[in-house]
């Protein structure tokens, strides 16, 4: 199936004003400064914002077709020859479908390959086959793998720069913008392996990543209206994980919640649970994981799915209220 026939991303409405390709622009900027960067796509060029790279650097762009396992193998070979491959597909195809190739041909030899996965979690009308709800769990289990998920499009360029600064495999969890964003919405910086505090608060802390950062900030605003201060932290790096940051703010507030567009098994919530469990002095912290429960989901719009499967700001508000014992 060719690019122009692929169902891809349904979020942009026909006739709407064009939405900038924040990832694609950042990749081209990066590649202009580093001639070793090459780009691969599994026949998803527009859906993964690689069309600008293709048009700018046609000799450095490779469409492998719908053959993710082969694409990983070719990228690994080119990395051994000194190139820096950025490999693009939907998250579920890069991680679940090509897991053995990622493990044995990229992670094990610690090659300088960057995996850029789009459509993370519950962000597609295409349903279970395209919903990547276990990619964190898969990638976290691989030695040598760095995992980065920017809080949104305004942090994509920083995520790309951070990935490029590492001489080794990186998994980037990306989501296309559905509207033109204000560059002032989210702090742009990414310090690898360090949690990022976005709003201060003393009553509870939300550790969020990706799509859930915006939901967490909205939940904090809802609490502010009733005189409760909630800290919101952007955990943009899932591996290496900032355990000290989590322990500090969880113990400071005494109430913590994780928020991720991923299964509650194996992702951000699991990383925080592990951190709290291994520091026995912190077992008094009230903690809850908010994410996709142990279930597959139907297809639908992001707001609909977030509401149905418990990922909305209102669900965060209710969960924190329960932990704070507020009626």
């Amino acid at each position: 199936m060719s690019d122009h026939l692929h169902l891809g991303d349904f979020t942009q409405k026909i006739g709407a004003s064009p939405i900038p390709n924040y990832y694609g622009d950042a990749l081209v900027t990066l590649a202009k400064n580093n001639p070793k960067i090459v780009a691969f796509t599994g026949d998803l060029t527009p859906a993964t914002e690689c069309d600008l790279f293709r048009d700018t650097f046609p000799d450095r762009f490779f469409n492998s077709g719908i053959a993710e396992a082969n694409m990983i193998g070719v990228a690994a070979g080119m990395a051994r020859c000194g190139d820096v491959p950025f490999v693009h597909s939907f998250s579920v195809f890069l991680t679940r479908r090509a897991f053995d190739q990622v493990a044995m041909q990229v992670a094990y030899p610690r090659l300088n390959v960057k995996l850029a996965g789009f459509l993370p979690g519950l962000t597609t009308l295409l349903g279970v086959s395209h919903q990547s709800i276990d990619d964190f769990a898969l990638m976290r289990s691989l030695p040598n793998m760095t995992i980065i998920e920017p809080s949104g499009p305004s942090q994509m360029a920083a995520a790309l720069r951070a990935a490029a600064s590492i001489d080794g495999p990186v998994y980037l969890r990306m989501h296309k913008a559905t509207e033109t964003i204000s560059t002032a919405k989210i702090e742009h910086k990414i310090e690898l392996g360090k949690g990022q505090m976005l709003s201060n608060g003393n009553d509870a802390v939300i550790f969020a990543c990706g799509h859930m950062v915006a939901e967490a900030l909205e939940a904090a605003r809802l609490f502010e209206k009733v005189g409760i201060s909630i800290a919101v932290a952007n955990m943009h790096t899932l591996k290496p994980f900032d355990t000290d940051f989590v322990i500090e703010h969880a113990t400071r507030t005494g109430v913590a919640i994780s928020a991720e567009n991923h299964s509650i098994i194996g992702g951000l919530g699991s990383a925080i649970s592990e951190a709290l469990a291994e520091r026995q002095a912190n077992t008094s912290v009230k903690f809850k994981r908010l994410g996709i429960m142990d279930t597959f989901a139907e297809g639908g719009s992001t707001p609909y799915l977030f509401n149905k499967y418990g990922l909305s700001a209102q669900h965060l508000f209710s969960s924190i209220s329960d932990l704070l014992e507020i009626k």
Side-chain angles (χ1 to χ4, degrees):
M1 186 179 293
S2 63
D3 280 322
H4 71 282
L5 291 176
H6 201 284
L7 293 174
D9 184 4
F10 287 89
T11 56
Q12 297 188 21
K13 296 180 180 179
I14 295 175
S17 299
I19 298 168
N21 286 334
Y22 296 99
Y23 174 86
D25 291 341
L27 181 62
V28 167
T29 299
L30 200 66
K32 286 179 178 177
N33 296 319
N34 186 351
K36 293 183 178 181
I37 290 177
V38 297
F40 285 83
T41 178
D43 206 26
L44 291 168
T45 306
T48 57
E49 300 188 11
C50 289
D51 36 356
L52 181 58
F53 190 102
R54 175 199 61 199
D55 297 341
T56 308
F57 307 108
D59 294 338
R60 294 157 62 183
F61 174 79
F62 306 92
N63 188 340
S64 73
I66 304 176
E68 291 81 8
N70 287 340
M71 179 168 63
I72 295 296
V74 175
M78 291 181 71
R80 288 183 180 274
C81 294
D83 291 315
V84 183
F86 278 72
V87 183
H88 303 84
S89 186
F90 292 153
S91 298
V92 69
F93 301 153
L94 275 183
T95 58
R96 189 189 304 162
R97 182 173 294 174
F99 182 73
D100 189 55
Q101 284 71 28
V102 171
M104 299 311 300
Q105 297 183 35
V106 174
Y108 174 56
R110 201 169 188 169
L111 295 180
N112 197 16
V113 176
K114 318 304 177 187
L115 308 171
F118 285 73
L119 285 190
L122 304 185
T123 53
T124 174
L125 297 173
L126 295 173
V128 171
S129 64
H130 285 59
Q131 288 169 340
S132 185
I133 63 172
D134 52 10
D135 52 328
F136 278 159
L138 292 169
M139 294 296 101
R140 280 186 72 219
S141 69
L142 292 177
N144 302 325
M145 184 66 69
T146 296
I147 303 173
I148 304 171
E149 182 176 24
S151 58
S154 63
Q155 206 171 38
M156 279 187 172
L160 275 169
R161 290 192 297 270
S165 72
I166 299 170
D167 185 14
V170 179
Y171 175 55
L172 289 156
R173 199 179 201 236
M174 297 296 191
H175 36 108
K176 288 171 67 71
T178 57
E179 61 183 0
T180 301
I181 59 169
S182 165
T183 56
K185 276 188 177 180
I186 301 292
E187 190 175 345
H188 290 239
K189 298 176 183 177
I190 282 186
E191 186 178 358
L192 279 172
K194 297 294 183 183
Q196 182 181 44
M197 191 59 68
L198 299 180
S199 68
N200 295 317
N202 297 316
D203 295 313
V205 57
I206 305 173
F207 298 106
C209 60
H211 276 89
M212 296 306 294
V213 172
E215 300 293 335
L217 290 170
E218 176 59 26
R221 284 189 285 269
L222 293 174
F223 276 109
E224 187 178 4
K225 294 178 181 179
V226 293
I228 296 173
S229 66
I230 306 296
V232 175
N234 174 22
M235 305 304 292
H236 49 67
T237 309
L238 198 63
K239 189 179 181 181
F241 193 64
D242 196 348
T243 299
D244 290 339
F245 177 87
V246 166
I247 296 299
E248 175 189 352
H249 293 287
T251 54
R252 178 179 63 83
T253 61
V255 174
I257 191 166
S258 62
E260 60 191 313
N261 183 18
H262 182 274
S263 170
I264 60 168
I265 300 171
L268 176 63
S270 291
I272 294 173
S273 298
E274 292 157 12
L276 293 173
E278 289 179 352
R279 304 283 183 91
Q280 295 183 9
N282 300 298
T283 54
S284 61
V285 174
K286 293 182 178 180
F287 174 63
K288 179 177 176 62
R289 295 171 296 166
L290 190 141
I292 303 160
M293 303 307 290
D294 190 16
T295 184
F296 292 107
E298 64 186 78
S301 68
T302 300
Y304 169 80
L305 293 171
F306 273 31
N307 182 62
K308 178 166 183 175
Y309 293 96
L311 304 181
S312 68
Q314 189 58 56
H315 284 93
L316 272 168
F317 183 89
S318 298
S319 294
I320 295 172
S321 295
D322 289 343
L323 292 177
L324 291 173
E325 300 181 0
I326 299 171
K327 294 183 179 179

